[in-house]
Structure formats: structure tokens, C-alpha cells
Amino acid sequence: MNLAVFASGTGTNFEAIVKATQNQQLKANVVLCVCDHPEALVIEKANALKIPVFSFKASDYPNKASYEQLILNACQLHQVSFIALAGYMRIIGPTLLQQYPHRIVNIHPSLLPKYKGKDALKQALAAGDLTLGATVHYVNDELDGGKIILQQSFRRSPNDCLETIEHKLHQIEHQLYIKALQQCLKEVI
Ligand code: GRF
């Protein structure tokens, strides 16, 4: 099973997925990293792990369909059969959704359906939530609205600073994403 991981930033989830494939926790190969920020740290991580990268700047293209067509070409070239979004900050359009129906998943830093969209953790903290969490879900045409695969919550202490909370969230995400991928890849095979 060939996976592509799409990311826009640091890429800690990307790295966790690649490591899980290397230690056989996940029976798949990450064959492509797609990134919409040519300066992002995830690209350095991909290079260090020898994973091919397709990077682009959306502003260089007239519309989503035109850059998604190039992403699709790269996915087809690398025989990608499943896509994991890991901090990819763009909405997936019909070009990719139609080619990968029920084969694109995302990790979102909230207990969906709470706090869809951007800055989910900040939204939860602003609401005063003490129970936080992450969700892995299928991607469809509704933002953060596809079928939920797995969720995990944790309690924060009222004294925790943002950095501590983000650290806990990331640790949870890295394990949750692998579990969720194990589950959905079984369904694909
Ligand atoms: C994660 O918190 C994920 O839930 C969100 O974006 C963040 C990406 O972090 N969608 P990283 O780049 O994997 O470190």
C-alpha cells in the first residue's frame, strides 16, 4: 500500500507515519510528501528520510484544480493508493476527491464535531475546555465533516501553558494517527 502524506508545516505527524512504516507497525510505504510551502520544515524531514517531495505554491496557479492536477500526476507517478493529510492547510477539491474516494484521511486537533476549521485548539482553549483531543476522519467535501475513524481525548490542567498542551496533543496525535491508519488500510486491502 503506497501512501502520500500531505503537510504544510513542521511535519511531526508525517515523521511519525514514516517511522511507523519503517518499523512495520504500519504495513505501508510512504512514497510521497506533498507540501504547499516550499520552505516548510517537513521538506527537510522528507529529504532526510529519503521520501520524494512534490512542493508547490498555490499562488503560482490560477485555481485549485490546476495545482491539484499536478498533485494528482505526482500521486499517480508514485502509484499512491491512499492519502493522509497531516497538517495540510488547504481544502481538498474535487480533482483529488474524485480520484481517491474514501481514501483520504485527515487528523484534526479537536474532538470533532467541535471546533472545525482553523485554530481548533485555540478555539477549544478560548471556550475554557479542560478536555481536549484529536480526531482522525475521512475527508469529504465538507470541511472537517467526514466520517470519524478514531478520536482520543486528554485532560489538561488549568495551569498548563500552551506549549505543554501542544506537546501533549502531538504525542496523542502521533499514536492515534497510526492506529487509525492501521484500521482504514485494512479496509482498503
Ligand atoms: C497537527 O496538530 C494536526 O492536528 C493539524 O496540524 C498539526 C500538524 O502538526 N491538522 P505537524 O506538522 O504534524 O507537527
Side-chain angles (χ1 to χ4, degrees), residues 26 105 136-138 149-150 175-185:
L26 198 56
V105 296
V136 180
H137 63 93
Y138 283 102
I149 301 160
L150 278 183
Q175 292 175 10
L176 184 72
Y177 216 168
I178 306 311
K179 268 199 227 165
L181 284 169
Q182 284 169 337
Q183 196 174 305
C184 32
L185 293 185

Side-chain angles (χ1 to χ4, degrees), residues 50-117:
K50 303 202 178 343
I51 309 286
V53 174
F54 174 75
S55 74
F56 68 99
K57 269 165 78 179
S59 57
D60 290 343
Y61 299 90
N63 51 40
K64 190 186 290 287
S66 54
Y67 68 73
E68 283 202 342
Q69 185 57 50
L70 295 186
I71 296 175
L72 184 58
N73 295 348
C75 286
Q76 287 173 341
L77 182 71
H78 290 279
Q79 299 183 309
V80 167
S81 31
F82 203 90
I83 295 172
L85 309 182
Y88 181 66
M89 300 303 287
R90 294 192 174 273
I91 292 171
I92 299 292
T95 309
L96 287 167
L97 280 176
Q98 279 163 16
Q99 291 297 320
Y100 289 95
H102 211 61
R103 287 179 176 229
I104 307 179
V105 296
N106 179 42
I107 187 156
H108 185 77
S110 80
L111 296 168
L112 288 172
K114 278 178 125 184
Y115 313 125
K116 294 179 178 180

Side-chain angles (χ1 to χ4, degrees), residues 9-14 86-89 106-109 169-170 173-174:
T10 319
T12 62
N13 280 285
F14 163 79
Y88 181 66
M89 300 303 287
N106 179 42
I107 187 156
H108 185 77
L169 178 63
H170 267 108
E173 284 188 344
H174 297 163

